[in-house]
Amino acid sequence: MSSQGGWGQSKDFLDLVKSIGEARSKAEEDRIILRELEALRRRIAEPDVPRRRMKEYITRLVYAEMLGHDASFGYIHAVKMTHDNALPLKRTGYLAVTLFLSEDHDLIILIVNTIQKDLRSDNYLVVCAALTAVCKLITEDTIPAVLPLVVDLLAHRKEAVRKKAVMALHRFYQRSPASVTHLLPNFRKTLCDNDPGVMGATLCPLFDLITADANSYKDLLVSFVRILKQVAERNLPKTYDYHQMPAPFILIKLLKILALLGSGDKQASEHIYNVLGDIIRKCEPSSNIYNAVLYECICCISSIYPNAKLLEAAAEATSKFLKSDSHNLKYMGIDTLGRLIKISPDIAEEHQLAVIDCLEDPDDTLKRKTFELLYKMTKSTNVEVIVDHTIDYMININDNHYKTEIASRCVELAEQFAPTNQWFIQTMNKVFEHGGDLVNVRVAHNLMRLIAQGFSEDEEGADSQLRSSAVDSYICILGDPKLPSLFLQVICWVLGEYGTVDGKYSASYIMGKLCDVTEAHLCDDTVKAYAISAIMKICAFEIAAGRKVEILPECQSLIHELSASHSTDLQQRAYELQALLCLDCRTVESVMPLDASCEVLEVDKNLSFLNDFIQESIEKGSSPYIPESERPGMSSVSNFRRQNEASSHMLRFEAYGLPKPSPAHLIPQVSVSTSTSNLVPVTEASYYRESSQASKVPSVTDASSADLGTKLRLDGVQRKWGWPTYSSSGQSSTSSTNGVSHVDGVSAQSRDTLYDSRRQQSEVSAEKQKLAASLFGASSGKTVKRATSTHRATKGNTGNAERMAVSTAINPETSTEKAAPPPDLLDLSDDAAPTSTPTADPFQHLQVLIGATPVDNTVKAVGLESPNLMAFYTDIPSGSRKTTSTIHSAVPSIKKAPLQNDETARRVCVNPTGNNPNLFRDLLG
Amino acid sequence: MGIRFVLLVNKQGQTRLAQYYAEHLTLDERRALEGEIVRKCLARNDQQCSFVEHRNYKIVYRRYASLFFLVGVDNDENELAILEFIHLFVETMDRHFGNVCELDIMFHLEKAHFMLEEMVMNGCIVETSKSNILAPIQLMDKAS
């Protein structure tokens, strides 16, 4: 078949394709397409365009859209083409429609009818085309329109139709699981279809179903194993073979399913062992597809209940991957190593050199994967080296998305395994310095809390040591002009709370520093707010201590400037500071107590202090309070409100009921007085709407809606960050003096604390288990000395040693451990024997690898040319920067943060990781 | 949902085929995404991995002469298998067009799409038998 043209394509089309192909730049391509679109817009609307010509027009529209130009004027013609009787035209029409239209496009509704007709067609190819379109175009709303037809097609005589019907059902399940729950048993039937294609397709929905709920499908395990055996024994038609491998894609899908079914189930796993062993034995690593199957086998082995023999085979295969010259296989090897480490931690031992090689590799993909592995195997003995390496790596990352992830990983590891406070503070400093504003806000708040509370196992002395070392390091760092805003907020807060506590720095020195900060960051209101609050605290501490506060001239001008600020928040803070300076020593002490950020504020929710007053009032004849829920009238009032709201938005289809003779005149009483004992409960809510007494009701509804409103806001919204007080602080920035807002904020907070901590508990236990499993049992302090250790490793180690020298002075506990040579990155071996010293430089080794790359299996000769693409796409923005939310109201509220134990304090930072379903929105938004 | 998209791009960065499975993207979103991905992949050399992590998914790519085949997959997908899937796609096109090249795909864009439609549905690999993939397309050719 000739490729250039033929098949009745017009010269216009050939020219278009040729000119696009020859376009030298994006601009030229754009010009061609714009010209083309103009011509098409004219011609496509002409009457009596021949059908075949129309097909060509539609293809040209597809081109225009593919190259990024709007061709929406032609959508309707694509829709029309799906009506055509000729199959190629119909299918092209369907293809264009699926490419053009989003699910919620108005034109979809026009196609549903065509699809219904085509699903009933006698020509099975037409049915197939319609089913393909069903998978793309049918939404939750339109599923009922085609569902019965699709179900009928599951029993179609043609296997191609059955296969596509299975996939259409799969699609419905993806779109709206509830719509097809009653049809799920059909998948069990189609799994036993005679045609391997239908069987293979059925594995897709079953995989999804088993991922969601493995237990309901345990009974199918035997069937899957039997199918797997048959596939492995080449019982499937030859056409499914790929590079001498029998149906590898079906095999891989089956292995994925078995991994799910056998996970943590000894009995089920025993069924799988045999066939897995068979497949591995047959897998000769001669081609890529064998390795792909082998990889899937290892994944399966590491997922199901462990079997010693299979694990051994998996370890062997992993080492083959790691020793391979191909980067792809190394990548897979690192991946499987990460999986196997969870089961047998000592397996990494023999591969440490390979892992180091991958870590030093210039290929970023491989490097990332290796960092993921390191993250998995971090423990207290190697945390310093791993975190140092990771931070070094983080500095050079341009990809913001990944940088954020790496930063939070570092923080997580540091919080979990930090050997000393100093190390922890320094590590956090580094993360903030290099991570910039990409660091999660939660991390900053966590750090503040950790500094305030210290690690709970330490006694008070160590805590204050942590604080003063934090203050020291922040004073040092403050000169850096490029500190991210978030970090400055932390610094300001810490300096305000603890800057003068140990007496090392004078109040005016700290205040001077804080003023410098505000001068250096003129347009950052959040930082300014933190700074002015910090100055206020320092002044308060000074006054409380009986010393005279001397306000520096720059500080005075700052206060002056802020009291005229556009931000009311800053203004308020400035005025508060001014007011505070006029107060006497005792008042100041109670307004701004020293180191009170961790004090527990207990809230008397029952308001028991009012008991006397109530008693008195009742004796004087007041009626007692009855809770809203116990007031019979109230529930119907709120019902009424809801109904009223609903009725204003939509039509009511049912007839109005007859008004019941309930005592409507009593309603006003409900709202004004609290005595309800004589009320008859009103059940028919719709009655009120018609009642003429409704004039009184709005006052009740208003009150209750306001009430409901606040309630909703507090219950439904969960806090962005782990520390619950922050969001409630806005309304109560003067909380220490203002009792009312105080109560309000804290009661909300206590509720959220409960919710948050419960959530974190469940989140974290899994995370911890995973980490615990991935840690090795190897003894600490021993190292495998590498004669040819690379620059990075040495740098990391010496840096480490220095830091340890510092830490030994302070922390004598750890000094024994530190006396030994610093632990190597892969501190895995039990004996520090120099036998594992490599003889060759890893870089040299790498060059050898690069030199001997296998020739790719290409269809055509590979013309090697350096791609000159960068210029081509320079106009495209490289992802929008993440904006951090403002947290300026956080400072004072920390004052009333209840002390939580250290456990939760550390936990909050554990990031929930998981796939984001709205991938593209996240990515491009 | 294993496969998120299949992209064919030549070494100048021009899109030759694009099919998305995850969700419908607007033109601008597609343009930005393709630009970002293509830039990332074309900057790599032959010795490096055929996988690139991008956001929270991976791109598996393979080069055939002037054409790059890029497949975006979820993180738990078997990368090697996807690499072979690309090759299977190329082999299938090769069987149909005979010595397939970039121009074949350009002239018969809809056919390349049809083949892909047979092979991948809902982001899953459903058919891997070349004769099954090509049968409906050949029948259609005969009919017209």
Side-chain angles (χ1 to χ4, degrees), chain A residues 297-353:
Chain A
C297 286
I298 300 172
C299 293
C300 186
I301 290 169
S302 62
S303 163
I304 62 176
Y305 191 86
N307 171 287
K309 234 168 136 188
L310 286 176
L311 279 175
E312 206 177 292
E316 199 184 316
T318 299
S319 75
K320 241 185 249 165
F321 282 162
L322 283 172
K323 281 175 193 150
S324 154
D325 290 344
S326 149
H327 270 55
N328 286 350
L329 289 186
K330 278 191 187 175
Y331 179 91
M332 301 316 260
I334 294 283
D335 185 275
T336 52
L337 194 60
R339 289 169 192 269
L340 292 174
I341 263 179
K342 286 187 213 157
I343 302 164
S344 46
D346 45 332
I347 184 181
E349 203 176 310
E350 58 169 308
H351 301 303
Q352 29 188 319
L353 292 180

Side-chain angles (χ1 to χ4, degrees), chain A residues 713-741:
Chain A
R713 222 173 302 137
L714 289 171
D715 289 343
V717 179
Q718 55 164 283
R719 292 295 142 92
K720 267 273 191 286
W721 323 303
W723 198 237
T725 38
Y726 297 127
S727 63
S728 63
S729 63
Q731 74 221 40
S732 57
S733 53
T734 53
S735 59
S736 329
T737 45
N738 185 348
V740 181
S741 62

Side-chain angles (χ1 to χ4, degrees), chain A residues 456-473:
Chain A
S456 66
E457 65 261 29
D458 294 334
E459 68 288 358
E460 193 53 38
D463 284 356
S464 56
Q465 207 172 59
L466 169 71
R467 289 167 193 164
S468 37
S469 73
V471 170
D472 283 346
S473 74

Side-chain angles (χ1 to χ4, degrees), chain A residues 61-62 65 70-80 82 93-112 115 133 135-139 171 175, chain B residues 19-20 23-27 30:
Chain A
L61 289 177
V62 170
E65 286 251 325
D70 178 55
S72 51
F73 66 86
Y75 291 175
I76 187 68
H77 297 282
V79 172
K80 267 196 224 156
T82 58
Y94 273 131
L95 173 70
V97 168
T98 57
L99 290 171
F100 290 156
L101 302 185
S102 62
E103 302 171 350
D104 50 357
H105 201 282
D106 296 338
L107 289 175
I108 296 271
I109 209 75
L110 291 178
I111 302 178
V112 174
I115 288 179
C135 286
K136 284 273 192 176
L137 299 174
I138 295 295
T139 55
R171 190 59 176 163
R175 284 270 156 91
Chain B
Q19 179 65 274
Y20 291 85
E23 76 190 80
H24 194 88
L25 300 180
T26 65
L27 284 176
R30 258 185 309 193

Side-chain angles (χ1 to χ4, degrees), chain A residues 871-887:
Chain A
F872 206 76
Y873 273 111
T874 38
D875 54 326
I876 290 153
S878 60
S880 55
R881 261 177 87 86
K882 245 187 148 181
T883 50
T884 44
S885 52
T886 55
I887 49 163

Side-chain angles (χ1 to χ4, degrees), chain A residues 227-238:
Chain A
I227 297 170
L228 188 61
K229 245 182 214 148
Q230 288 193 14
V231 174
E233 284 164 8
R234 297 178 182 275
N235 287 347
L236 253 51
K238 267 265 175 263

Side-chain angles (χ1 to χ4, degrees), chain A residues 3 63 163 328 363 863 919, chain B residues 49-50 56 63 104 106 127:
Chain A
S3 60
Y63 255 105
K163 179 176 71 191
N328 286 350
D363 184 352
L919 165 79
Chain B
C49 287
S50 313
N56 52 350
R63 180 182 168 160
D104 287 316
M106 290 183 76
E127 187 57 79

